[in-house]
């Protein structure tokens, strides 16, 4: 909870909801009303499960369908079948990373070949706190913390992206980047907290699809996705922390949660 999946799904729905499209959603708790979206709430107590709601909505032949939670293998199979028939399906699963999101679907008995043919992108998201520039203190990661981060992030790649996007000067080395933690008063109960998000976006290539059909281990698939440009959640957190947008402690939280 609080990872940002619902916000991401609503944002995508809001972008996709156009008059020329039929857009529907199936949700356990209805959020804000979205104009142009037919929103259906799951009500287990009166016999409206995710599966029965999904079947009913699919009879309306939507162009875009959001399933807030893939809860079991039956829902996963029906959602994949809908995607295979040309419906743009947005869905969420509980997983610590983008690659593990794919393996969660495979664990729900999703057919690898069907998953490969329908999967367009997997996004892992996690909300993190920002903090004011005037309420922060420089912080140096310990050797143990650097080891934790280094197991999940390529510091050189993050540095290269920072330079390419002109967030830092070309001559800056990784050791020169200053990270920060909030001052004591910035973490106080009366301090206004604002949130942003870190993301991990995996867009399957021909090679990653082939690896999936071979029942490859998650680490190998993730390594390939990184070689093809995917930033991990930890790398995106470091990217934002290097610009002073989030704290070093939030980077460490992301790294630890990704291991959970």
């Amino acid at each position: 909870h609080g990872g940002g999946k619902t916000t991401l799904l609503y944002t995508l729905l809001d972008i996709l909801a156009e008059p020329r499209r039929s857009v529907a959603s199936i949700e356990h708790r209805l959020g804000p009303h979205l104009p142009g979206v037919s929103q259906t709430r799951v009500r287990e107590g009166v016999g409206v499960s995710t599966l029965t709601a999904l079947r009913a909505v699919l009879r309306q032949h939507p162009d875009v369908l959001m399933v807030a939670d893939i809860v079991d293998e039956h829902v996963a199979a029906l959602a994949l079948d809908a995607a295979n028939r040309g419906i743009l399906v947005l869905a969420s699963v509980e997983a610590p990373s983008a690659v593990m999101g794919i393996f969660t679907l495979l664990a729900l008995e999703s057919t690898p070949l069907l998953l490969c043919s329908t999967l367009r992108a997997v996004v892992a998201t996690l909300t993190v706190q920002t903090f004011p520039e005037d309420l922060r203190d420089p912080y140096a990661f310990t050797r143990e913390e650097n080891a934790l981060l280094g197991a999940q992030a390529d510091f050189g790649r993050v540095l290269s992206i920072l330079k390419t996007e002109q967030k830092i000067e070309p001559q800056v080395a990784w050791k020169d980047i200053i990270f920060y933690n909030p001052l004591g008063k910035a973490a106080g109960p009366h301090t206004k907290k604002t949130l942003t998000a870190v993301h991990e976006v995996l867009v399957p290539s021909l090679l990653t699809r082939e690896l999936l059909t071979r029942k490859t281990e998650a680490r190998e698939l993730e390594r390939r996705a990184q070689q093809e440009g995917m930033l991990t959640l930890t790398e995106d957190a470091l990217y934002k922390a290097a610009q002073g947008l989030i704290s070093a402690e939030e980077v460490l939280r992301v790294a630890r949660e990704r291991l959970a």
Side-chain angles (χ1 to χ4, degrees), residues 8-20:
L8 178 60
L9 287 171
Y10 270 97
T11 301
L12 292 173
L13 276 182
D14 191 43
I15 292 169
L16 292 166
E18 297 180 357
R20 63 187 177 87

Side-chain angles (χ1 to χ4, degrees), residues 173-245:
W174 184 256
K175 63 181 178 59
D176 300 324
I177 295 177
I178 301 174
F179 294 93
Y180 298 92
N181 267 341
L183 290 169
K185 58 182 178 180
H190 303 297
T191 304
K192 183 179 179 181
K193 294 179 174 63
T194 57
L195 299 175
T196 186
V198 292
H199 299 98
E200 184 174 295
V201 183
L202 191 162
V203 179
S205 67
L206 287 175
L207 184 54
T208 52
R209 292 177 197 279
E210 184 182 337
L211 289 173
L212 266 178
T213 58
R214 293 185 200 162
K215 297 184 178 179
T216 304
E217 290 187 359
R219 186 68 195 105
E220 183 182 347
L221 185 62
E222 184 168 275
R223 190 181 302 114
R224 168 52 59 180
Q226 287 178 273
Q227 289 172 355
E228 294 176 353
M230 182 189 80
L231 279 182
T232 66
L233 286 170
T234 304
E235 286 172 335
D236 193 30
L238 283 166
Y239 170 81
K240 290 179 169 64
Q243 299 170 67
L245 302 175

Side-chain angles (χ1 to χ4, degrees), residues 10 25-33 39-43:
Y10 270 97
S25 70
I26 298 169
E27 307 168 49
H28 284 270
R29 292 174 299 279
L30 290 183
H33 171 68
Q39 296 173 266
T40 301
R41 181 184 174 189
V42 173
R43 297 170 183 258

Side-chain angles (χ1 to χ4, degrees), residues 150-162:
Q152 300 181 31
D154 182 333
F155 299 147
R157 195 154 67 102
V158 176
L159 182 66
S160 176
I161 293 170
L162 285 163

